[in-house]
Amino acid sequence: TGVATMKFKSPPVNSLSLDFLTEFSISLEKLENDRACRGVIFTSAVPKIFSSGLDITEMCGKSTEHYAEFWRAVQEMWLRLYGSNMVTVAAVNGSSPAGGCLIALSCDYRIMVENPKFSIGLNEAQLGIVAPFWFKDTFVNIVGHRVAERSLQLGSLHPAPEAHKFGLVDELVPEEKLQEKAAAVMAQWLALPDHARQLTKSMMRKAVLDRLVAHREEDIQNFISFISKESIQKSLRMYMEMLKKKKS
Amino acid sequence: TGVATMKFKSPPVNSLSLDFLTEFSISLEKLENDRACRGVIFTSAVPKIFSSGLDITEMCGKSTEHYAEFWRAVQEMWLRLYGSNMVTVAAVNGSSPAGGCLIALSCDYRIMVENPKFSIGLNEAQLGIVAPFWFKDTFVNIVGHRVAERSLQLGSLHPAPEAHKFGLVDELVPEEKLQEKAAAVMAQWLALPDHARQLTKSMMRKAVLDRLVAHREEDIQNFISFISKESIQKSLRMYMEMLKKKKS
Amino acid sequence: TGVATMKFKSPPVNSLSLDFLTEFSISLEKLENDRACRGVIFTSAVPKIFSSGLDITEMCGKSTEHYAEFWRAVQEMWLRLYGSNMVTVAAVNGSSPAGGCLIALSCDYRIMVENPKFSIGLNEAQLGIVAPFWFKDTFVNIVGHRVAERSLQLGSLHPAPEAHKFGLVDELVPEEKLQEKAAAVMAQWLALPDHARQLTKSMMRKAVLDRLVAHREEDIQNFISFISKESIQKSLRMYMEMLKKKKS
């Protein structure tokens, strides 16, 4: 059918580790170069979670070189996904904070399970960190400036119905209908001639993609100097402690 | 009353031929220079259609010189309409795809007949072609980035009620009330002092107008090289065949 | 609690005179430099009016030097408020035209009394004047391009329920609940770590702030040459006469 499904399977929470990101980018590149593949559906094989976002262990107590390598992999993932020529549909079957939300935001269409226990948002501010400008640009393109400003400042995680209300997700469906719906949406998008659709997508996204390409090294340096601060390291360690306690 | 009505009467579907565009621009320029005229209502004298958009016969099997002349006329029409100092109201009394939609988008206010059989949208992608960047800019100004991106990629034609829901048209009325409503809206806008209103309008639209002015020749060259491709010519010919069959 | 309240008390209508603006900026600067203060609530001590906007007497029949001083004070107020590191909440307990609306727009969150007799908007065009580009930029960031364009051209004053419908205010409450609600919202925002929230806010607002900073002197000269026109002076005098008659 020309449609691939990329199913995240990195328990317990599909966090975006360096390995995960590298595999993601390589897989996407392969599909991009495969002329038989015209669309990709992203979903999770882990119950209740789409992706928990960037792996905090990659940002804690590591070397400058590691931070640089990690951040470059995050950029690479987004540049490939937001700039993909394929039709990309996020089938969000669980919570999707921070980097998980970014993956959904970067697709062409977002379908989420209507369960209000599942939430989505760029909640970086809750952890004492700041979403990078290209997360912000992607978010503003989807929900507009006012909603993005408030949501980013508050680090909000929006329950699925609320996220739907202001357009952060395009559609809600019962969990058992999700894959069927994703396939139907994909078929609708693939009915269009590829070439015109790809040029249109690129016209819409080029400005935001170009901004990161033009400032990529600077963005890596910013990340390193921010994440290396003792105050930030401390709040990330506290956050990890909290997560561990929650689990046990 | 200081209000002109420009009634499109180019059967069967008010397509924007080189002649139509030239007459449109000349008429608009005359009204612009007529100090007695402060506002224009655009509507159709052809039943069920506002305007079907750019005339495909002008883009098929013609010379490079013809394509250049045609495209310059399309640009001219939009530069005059989007940049008009007059109050412009679209009274959309029929379907309005592609270039027809652009005319409506470029007005200050859009009223559409509430008939769900009438649809409106930038459906270029359906034909295998790409809406130019200034169509896109005008569209994004009206419906925002997310809706514009999806609608342009899918080449969607939105039934009037759907178009109203996301702001592509400002108001729906029964067909028999359309002209009355357009006149009432016009009166409301003309109650404002012209000078302040004109400066405000220009402030809002200048960035998007300037972008085309700065890239006008480049945009013509882009159009020529795109439209001259054999693959594009072929899909336009197929589209015209389909339209002919539909008619008979 | 780390929260200050700035209560406008300049009867009869809290108009933004040179004195008011100067005091506003000085107070805000003091709070900004006070590490104990993390948030400010703006509200009015004058019944039925939040602020009537720029004081027209400062723009009528005065010297060029006065106009320059006045306009610089308007800019200063906005630069400090829109660029504030503190959490800013507008508790709008009365009508709020023009410059009054700008104060509300520049806060992080807007709560308005649900009374439909109270209205809010940038109504400059009604007076025959034009909202400056940075009023416009702030407005577009809140309500988007389409709504801003129409509202600015018509100089609309929106009753509270209408303003809420398109996001010009974030929330409506009964008058007796306003201060309580403002305090609750403030507490929610102050639950976030300051540093990440401030960097996020600055990332969202920097482009618009920088535009005025880069064109500040030019903007002052524009104001002076516009306001000095005899036609503008005349329409401001007429407007003041109308206000006087209304009062008596």
Side-chain angles (χ1 to χ4, degrees):
Chain A
T1 66
V3 180
T5 296
M6 207 186 275
K7 214 161 184 168
F8 306 148
K9 196 175 178 174
S10 181
V13 291
N14 288 334
S15 63
L16 307 176
S17 64
L18 182 53
D19 283 352
F20 186 110
L21 292 165
T22 306
E23 208 188 315
F24 185 103
S25 290
I26 291 174
S27 304
L28 203 59
E29 190 185 6
K30 275 188 195 159
L31 294 171
E32 203 80 54
N33 293 330
D34 178 354
R35 305 202 95 219
C37 182
R38 300 172 61 215
V40 193
I41 295 169
F42 299 90
T43 196
S44 167
V46 175
K48 296 182 191 167
I49 194 96
F50 180 69
S51 161
S52 65
L54 303 184
D55 187 343
I56 295 174
T57 63
E58 305 278 13
M59 302 190 266
C60 232
K62 296 286 198 299
S63 69
T64 298
E65 290 70 30
H66 184 84
Y67 294 149
E69 191 187 357
F70 177 64
W71 200 246
R72 192 179 302 277
V74 179
Q75 294 175 334
E76 190 66 26
M77 180 270 287
W78 178 78
L79 288 170
R80 287 198 180 280
L81 179 56
Y82 200 61
S84 174
N85 269 325
M86 299 180 287
V87 175
T88 51
V89 172
V92 184
N93 52 350
S95 283
S96 197
C101 178
L102 182 73
I103 291 178
L105 288 171
S106 303
C107 288
D108 291 315
Y109 199 79
R110 285 151 291 286
I111 310 164
M112 191 166 178
V113 169
E114 63 189 0
N115 189 338
K117 284 183 187 161
F118 296 163
S119 63
I120 185 167
L122 295 173
N123 64 324
E124 281 79 356
Q126 294 270 4
L127 286 67
I129 60 177
V130 180
F133 72 90
W134 39 286
F135 282 49
K136 180 265 289 177
D137 289 343
T138 312
F139 197 32
V140 169
N141 273 355
I142 298 292
V143 299
H145 193 279
R146 178 175 54 89
V147 170
E149 186 182 292
R150 183 177 8 152
S151 184
L152 283 172
Q153 282 203 65
L154 291 172
S156 304
L157 285 173
H158 306 281
E162 183 182 301
H164 180 242
K165 209 179 290 171
F166 56 78
L168 173 43
V169 296
D170 295 295
E171 205 169 343
L172 298 180
V173 293
E175 181 135 24
E176 67 275 16
K177 301 273 178 151
L178 181 64
Q179 303 308 328
E180 181 191 319
K181 184 73 201 180
V185 165
M186 181 59 82
Q188 184 200 3
W189 285 67
L190 291 181
L192 277 288
D194 279 339
H195 189 59
R197 191 193 44 71
Q198 288 164 2
L199 290 174
T200 304
K201 182 172 178 176
S202 159
M203 173 174 69
M204 294 301 300
R205 300 190 167 193
K206 194 172 184 306
V208 163
L209 286 163
D210 283 354
R211 209 170 309 160
L212 177 56
V213 171
H215 298 97
R216 198 163 173 181
E217 295 310 316
E218 198 185 321
D219 184 58
I220 292 172
Q221 293 312 317
N222 274 350
F223 172 73
I224 295 174
S225 77
F226 186 77
I227 213 73
S228 304
K229 280 181 191 159
E230 189 38 42
S231 59
I232 301 301
Q233 285 291 314
K234 194 179 152 194
S235 73
L236 291 178
R237 281 194 304 266
M238 280 169 58
Y239 189 76
M240 284 199 296
E241 285 304 317
M242 195 196 73
L243 289 179
K244 275 181 202 163
K245 274 181 198 156
K246 238 181 162 179
K247 259 189 281 182
S248 59
Chain B
T1 64
V3 181
T5 296
M6 208 185 276
K7 213 161 185 169
F8 307 149
K9 195 175 178 175
S10 181
V13 291
N14 287 333
S15 63
L16 306 175
S17 64
L18 182 54
D19 283 351
F20 186 110
L21 293 165
T22 308
E23 207 187 319
F24 185 103
S25 289
I26 291 174
S27 303
L28 202 59
E29 189 185 7
K30 274 188 198 160
L31 293 171
E32 203 79 56
N33 293 330
D34 178 355
R35 307 203 94 219
C37 181
R38 300 171 61 214
V40 193
I41 295 169
F42 299 90
T43 196
S44 168
V46 175
K48 296 183 190 166
I49 194 94
F50 180 68
S51 160
S52 65
L54 302 185
D55 187 342
I56 295 174
T57 64
E58 305 278 12
M59 301 190 267
C60 232
K62 296 286 199 299
S63 69
T64 299
E65 290 70 33
H66 185 84
Y67 295 150
E69 191 187 357
F70 177 64
W71 200 247
R72 192 180 302 278
V74 179
Q75 294 175 333
E76 190 66 27
M77 180 270 289
W78 178 75
L79 288 169
R80 288 198 179 279
L81 180 56
Y82 200 61
S84 173
N85 269 325
M86 299 180 286
V87 175
T88 51
V89 172
V92 184
N93 52 351
S95 283
S96 197
C101 177
L102 181 72
I103 292 178
L105 288 171
S106 304
C107 289
D108 292 314
Y109 199 80
R110 284 151 293 286
I111 311 165
M112 191 166 178
V113 168
E114 63 190 0
N115 189 339
K117 285 184 188 161
F118 296 163
S119 64
I120 185 168
L122 294 173
N123 63 324
E124 281 79 355
Q126 294 270 6
L127 285 67
I129 59 177
V130 181
F133 72 88
W134 38 286
F135 282 49
K136 180 265 288 178
D137 289 343
T138 313
F139 197 33
V140 169
N141 273 355
I142 297 292
V143 300
H145 193 279
R146 178 175 54 87
V147 171
E149 187 182 292
R150 184 180 3 153
S151 184
L152 283 172
Q153 282 204 65
L154 291 173
S156 304
L157 286 174
H158 307 282
E162 184 181 301
H164 180 241
K165 210 180 286 170
F166 56 78
L168 172 44
V169 295
D170 296 295
E171 205 169 342
L172 297 180
V173 294
E175 180 135 25
E176 67 274 16
K177 299 273 177 150
L178 181 64
Q179 303 310 327
E180 181 191 320
K181 184 72 200 179
V185 165
M186 181 59 81
Q188 184 200 2
W189 285 66
L190 291 182
L192 277 288
D194 280 336
H195 189 59
R197 191 192 46 70
Q198 288 165 0
L199 290 173
T200 304
K201 182 173 179 176
S202 159
M203 172 173 70
M204 294 302 299
R205 300 190 166 192
K206 195 173 183 310
V208 163
L209 286 164
D210 283 355
R211 210 170 308 160
L212 177 56
V213 171
H215 299 96
R216 198 164 172 180
E217 294 309 317
E218 198 185 321
D219 184 57
I220 293 173
Q221 293 311 317
N222 274 349
F223 172 73
I224 294 174
S225 76
F226 186 78
I227 213 72
S228 304
K229 281 180 191 159
E230 189 38 41
S231 58
I232 301 300
Q233 285 292 314
K234 194 180 152 194
S235 73
L236 291 178
R237 280 195 304 266
M238 280 170 57
Y239 189 75
M240 284 199 296
E241 284 306 315
M242 195 197 73
L243 289 180
K244 274 181 203 164
K245 275 181 198 155
K246 237 181 164 177
K247 258 190 280 178
S248 59
Chain C
T1 66
V3 180
T5 295
M6 207 186 277
K7 213 162 184 167
F8 307 149
K9 196 177 179 173
S10 180
V13 291
N14 287 334
S15 63
L16 306 175
S17 63
L18 182 53
D19 283 352
F20 186 110
L21 292 165
T22 307
E23 208 188 317
F24 185 104
S25 290
I26 291 174
S27 304
L28 202 59
E29 189 184 8
K30 275 188 196 158
L31 294 171
E32 204 79 55
N33 293 331
D34 178 355
R35 306 201 94 218
C37 182
R38 300 173 60 217
V40 192
I41 295 169
F42 299 89
T43 197
S44 167
V46 174
K48 297 182 191 167
I49 194 96
F50 180 69
S51 160
S52 64
L54 303 185
D55 188 342
I56 295 174
T57 63
E58 305 277 13
M59 301 191 267
C60 231
K62 296 286 199 297
S63 69
T64 297
E65 290 70 30
H66 185 83
Y67 294 149
E69 190 186 359
F70 177 64
W71 200 247
R72 192 179 302 278
V74 179
Q75 293 176 333
E76 189 67 26
M77 181 269 289
W78 178 77
L79 288 169
R80 288 197 179 281
L81 180 56
Y82 200 62
S84 174
N85 268 325
M86 298 181 287
V87 175
T88 52
V89 172
V92 184
N93 53 350
S95 283
S96 196
C101 177
L102 182 73
I103 292 178
L105 289 171
S106 303
C107 288
D108 292 314
Y109 198 80
R110 285 150 291 287
I111 311 164
M112 190 166 179
V113 168
E114 63 189 0
N115 189 338
K117 285 184 188 162
F118 296 164
S119 63
I120 184 167
L122 294 174
N123 63 325
E124 280 79 355
Q126 293 270 6
L127 286 66
I129 59 177
V130 180
F133 72 89
W134 38 286
F135 281 49
K136 181 266 288 179
D137 288 343
T138 312
F139 198 32
V140 169
N141 272 355
I142 297 292
V143 299
H145 192 279
R146 178 175 54 87
V147 171
E149 186 182 291
R150 181 174 13 152
S151 185
L152 282 172
Q153 282 204 64
L154 291 173
S156 304
L157 286 173
H158 306 282
E162 183 181 300
H164 179 242
K165 208 179 290 172
F166 56 78
L168 172 44
V169 296
D170 296 295
E171 205 169 341
L172 297 180
V173 293
E175 181 134 27
E176 66 274 16
K177 300 272 177 148
L178 181 63
Q179 303 309 326
E180 182 190 319
K181 184 73 200 181
V185 165
M186 181 59 82
Q188 184 201 2
W189 285 67
L190 291 181
L192 277 289
D194 279 337
H195 189 59
R197 191 193 45 72
Q198 287 164 2
L199 290 174
T200 303
K201 182 173 179 176
S202 159
M203 173 173 68
M204 295 301 299
R205 300 191 167 191
K206 194 173 181 309
V208 163
L209 285 164
D210 283 355
R211 209 170 309 160
L212 177 56
V213 171
H215 298 98
R216 197 163 174 182
E217 295 310 317
E218 197 185 321
D219 184 58
I220 293 174
Q221 292 312 318
N222 274 349
F223 172 73
I224 295 175
S225 77
F226 185 78
I227 213 72
S228 304
K229 281 181 190 157
E230 189 38 41
S231 58
I232 301 302
Q233 285 291 314
K234 195 179 151 193
S235 73
L236 292 178
R237 280 193 305 264
M238 279 169 57
Y239 189 75
M240 284 200 296
E241 284 305 315
M242 195 197 72
L243 289 180
K244 274 181 202 164
K245 274 181 198 155
K246 237 180 163 180
K247 258 190 282 181
S248 60

